[in-house]
Each structure stands twice: as C-alpha cells, then as structure tokens.
Amino acid sequence: MKLGFGLMRLPHKGIGIDIAQTSKMVDMFIESGGTYFDTAYVYLGSEEAARKALCTRHSRDTYTLATKLNASVALTEKIARGQLETSLKRTGAEYFDYYLLHSLMEKNFKKYDKFDLWNFAKEQKKAGLIRNYGFSFHGGPQLLDELLTEHNDVDFVQLQINYCDWESSKVKSRENYEVARKHNKQIVVMEPVKGGSLADPPANVKEIFKKADPNASYASWAIRYAASLDGILSVLSGMSNIEQMKDNLSFMKDFKPLTPDEYSVIKEAQRAFNEVKQIPCTACGYCKKGCPKQINIPAVFSARNEQLVFGLIEKGRKQYESVVSNSAKASECIRCGACEKVCPQKIQITEELASCAEVFEKNS
C-alpha cells in the first residue's frame, strides 16, 4: 500500500501523545496492509511513541520505519552523528529501514557536508543499522539536481508534493519531482494534504470536488493525486485521529489512480485554490523552536487564515486572542529572521506577523 503513516501530528492527550489512540491507529494501518511509518529525531515525542505504539507491539518484519537526522539542531559533528544512536534507543527498532538527512535546502545543505553526514549514512548502511538512505528536501530543482548528481547512490528522496504546490514558484513540486525522476530515484511524498489545508479547502474548491464526487473526502483527492504519480514509494499522511485513518484507508487500501476526468477536476481545483489569498503555513512548527520571543507562529497564521480563506473574521480574532493569552503577540516579533531560515515553505514570516499584528491588534 502506498499510504505511509506520518508520526508527526499524532493525537494528544493532555500535554503528551495519546499512546492508546495511536496504538489503535497503528493496528488499523497494519491490518489494512500498511507498512511504512515515518518519524524524526526532532519530532517531539514521536520516536518514543513509535516504540510504545509500534515497535514493542508488532513483529519487526511487519513494518518499515523511517527516521531523520537533522544537522540544523546540532552544534558539532559528534552531536549530529549521535542522533542515530538516540533514535535507535528511543524507538527500540534495532535498525531503520529508511534513514534521511532532514530538510535540506539552500540555507542549510552545506552543514551536512561540513559534518560529513553523507559518508556517515553510507557507513551506517554498511554496518546494517540502516537499510536505505536518502534525504528530505525543501529547496529548488537546481540544488536537488546537484545533490542527486553528487550523491547518486541515495536510495530515495522525500519531496513536498500536492496539487496546490505543483506549479508553485516557491515550493516547485513539479520541477523537483521531474529532477528526482530524471535521476531514477524513488520518491516519498510529504505534505500531500499541505498540513491539513487540502483536507478542508476553501469553499470554492469544496464546491468543485463535491460536484465531481459528493461521497469523496477532500483529503482523498489530494492523497490520490500524489499517489498517482510514477515512482512513488510512499505518500505520507500525518493522521491525527482514528477518523482520518479510516478515511485514508478507505481509498488507499485498494488504491485506484486518478482517471483523466478526475485530473480535469484537480486542474479546476488548482485554479480555484490559487485565487484564494492565504498564508501557506503547514504548521510544521520548525519556526517556533528558535523564536527568541516564543511566538506561536503557526497558531497566529492559522487564526489569520480563518479570515483570509474562510471569511470567518470574528472566529479568527477570537482564535488569535486565545493564542496570545498563552504566548507572545505577533507585534512582539523583533525581526531576527531565525524563523525564516528554517521555514520549509519559504514564508516571509516577519512580514506576515506584522500584517497579523495590524489586523488583530489595531483596536486592542
């Protein structure tokens, strides 16, 4: 089954991950033929949850597990390399089927060279601690081509692909996909539902999909779009509850690629989506970690998108007030730029925060 279970957006209970519900989701996924699970060293609590809900409960030959090494959070080469040992201890997985150098882009890829992490991955593959190595990528096609040319022995590459970003001038989904296929690399798809925004799209997009198939979920269109491409190893979905798991399994267990008519519907939805102004945040949370003011940037942007995308002015305002009751206001941004250096979506975060402050705080 091409559907992969992304363990980044797991259900929570209190301040921690809900292991009981996660375990049920893991069981449903495996029982339906799913095998690919994806976590990362920097996903808070995710690797431990993988151990509790997956690795200690299922035979090692019934699943494949991917995790990632993130050089951006490491001060030294020794610390960066030590992430693999930590990930193995956290998950109890014995080895990783897929190991990725995490979130490479123009702003950080040289650090992976500086710490010699490409050779480290190859060494660990020879040692049997990883079975396949690759990298997740948020840069442009020129850099991707250079990396795949220099490191032509990588087994796969993970790319952001969805119908909304296919022709995006920032994400460049189509161009990156074509580069990866030119190098004959298998592709793991991340963000097929764009952080959940394609599971609950704007009203004009919903109308298009409902007219075409009133029984299909909006997420099904997005995930099937990515899964219908050639060369796809897995399409990751960061499922957060049992309902999302049930929906995804309903159309991916016996997957059928998009038909020509369905592709026409997607093209119409792409045009409609591009007409809607919004902040293209996927709520990955990378921006929050280095913010000196601890602004909850994804939550601020979510509140603003309630207004921009759905026209819910008062709901967005109340949501913003709730956010800043527990964290800093958008106006407290000091424009240090730390958030923009790590943003996979290349959002001009400081400018967007200033706009949010103007909208939400002008009468406060």
Side-chain angles (χ1 to χ4, degrees):
M1 183 167 65
K2 285 188 177 182
L3 181 67
F5 191 172
L7 304 178
M8 180 182 180
R9 308 175 194 272
L10 293 172
H12 277 67
K13 187 174 184 179
I15 61 172
I17 293 172
D18 187 337
I19 298 300
Q21 186 176 174
T22 300
S23 296
K24 290 180 182 178
M25 295 168 68
V26 166
D27 294 349
M28 291 171 61
F29 187 69
I30 290 179
E31 288 167 6
S32 295
T35 60
Y36 194 105
F37 293 83
D38 172 90
T39 183
Y41 175 84
V42 295
Y43 296 169
L44 185 62
S46 177
E47 290 184 326
E48 292 88 346
R51 182 185 74 251
K52 295 174 183 177
L54 173 66
C55 300
T56 62
R57 299 177 61 251
H58 290 273
S59 174
R60 189 63 183 87
D61 60 359
T62 62
Y63 63 87
T64 57
L65 184 61
T67 196
K68 311 176 189 77
L69 185 163
N70 194 309
S72 297
V73 300
L75 296 177
T76 67
E77 179 178 332
K78 182 179 179 180
I79 292 173
R81 292 182 172 219
Q83 289 182 23
L84 174 58
E85 183 179 357
T86 300
S87 294
L88 287 167
K89 288 180 179 179
R90 285 176 178 173
T91 60
E94 301 177 20
Y95 63 89
F96 292 110
D97 302 274
Y98 300 93
Y99 198 66
L100 299 88
L101 305 184
H102 195 182
S103 195
L104 272 70
M105 59 183 104
E106 286 77 5
K107 295 176 182 179
N108 70 4
F109 79 96
K110 290 183 179 179
K111 194 169 185 180
Y112 289 86
D113 293 327
K114 178 182 177 182
F115 289 168
D116 198 26
L117 295 176
W118 298 95
N119 283 325
F120 172 71
K122 295 175 188 178
E123 291 164 5
Q124 300 312 307
K125 183 177 178 180
K126 287 182 180 178
L129 291 179
I130 64 178
R131 300 291 172 84
N132 301 276
Y133 96 97
F135 60 96
S136 62
F137 187 74
H138 285 286
Q142 182 176 341
L143 176 60
L144 181 60
D145 190 44
E146 292 172 2
L147 292 176
L148 289 176
T149 299
E150 183 175 356
H151 306 286
N152 58 15
D153 62 336
V154 298
D155 300 295
F156 68 105
V157 62
Q158 186 164 307
L159 301 175
Q160 177 169 326
I161 295 176
N162 57 68
Y163 69 76
C164 185
D165 291 324
W166 189 243
E167 296 294 351
S168 166
S169 60
K170 290 185 177 180
V171 180
K172 301 182 186 295
S173 282
R174 176 184 57 77
E175 294 176 66
N176 283 333
Y177 168 78
E178 290 173 352
V179 168
R181 294 306 293 151
K182 182 185 76 171
H183 287 269
N184 295 313
K185 299 303 177 185
Q186 285 191 302
I187 297 166
V188 174
V189 175
M190 57 183 161
E191 300 291 356
V193 195
K194 200 171 172 63
S197 62
L198 302 187
D200 186 22
N204 59 338
V205 178
K206 287 181 177 178
E207 185 177 346
I208 292 167
F209 287 136
K210 280 300 179 187
K211 183 179 178 181
D213 186 349
N215 296 316
S217 67
Y218 306 120
S220 71
W221 286 95
I223 292 173
R224 288 181 62 223
Y225 175 82
S228 296
L229 294 166
D230 290 334
I232 302 302
L233 172 63
S234 184
V235 178
L236 301 177
S237 179
M239 293 168 275
S240 302
N241 54 57
I242 290 173
E243 289 69 29
Q244 291 175 359
M245 176 66 75
K246 286 180 178 178
D247 179 51
N248 285 350
L249 292 175
S250 72
F251 57 83
M252 288 300 289
K253 184 177 180 180
D254 298 308
F255 170 69
K256 294 180 176 60
L258 293 177
T259 66
D261 286 344
E262 288 174 323
Y263 271 114
S264 297
V265 174
I266 289 286
K267 288 183 179 180
E268 188 178 354
Q270 288 171 322
R271 289 191 292 269
F273 212 108
N274 289 334
E275 293 173 358
V276 179
K277 176 178 172 54
Q278 62 181 302
I279 303 172
C281 175
T282 64
C284 68
Y286 296 161
C287 56
K288 292 170 58 178
K289 295 181 178 69
C291 178
K293 293 296 183 178
Q294 294 298 292
I295 300 171
N296 191 341
I297 299 168
V300 170
F301 289 169
S302 176
R304 182 60 176 139
N305 278 337
E306 289 289 348
Q307 299 179 327
L308 293 172
V309 178
F310 303 107
L312 301 174
I313 305 302
E314 191 55 31
K315 180 180 178 181
R317 183 175 297 280
K318 288 182 178 179
Q319 187 171 317
Y320 177 77
E321 291 172 355
S322 176
V323 170
V324 300
S325 68
N326 298 306
S327 66
K329 294 182 178 180
S331 58
E332 294 181 56
C333 171
I334 60 173
R335 293 181 174 269
C336 67
C339 53
E340 295 179 358
K341 291 178 181 178
V342 297
C343 178
Q345 308 307 318
K346 302 178 179 63
I347 300 171
Q348 299 298 308
I349 295 176
T350 56
E351 291 182 13
E352 293 290 0
L353 284 174
S355 176
C356 289
E358 182 179 354
V359 170
F360 289 127
E361 301 175 30
K362 60 184 178 182
N363 295 321
S364 60

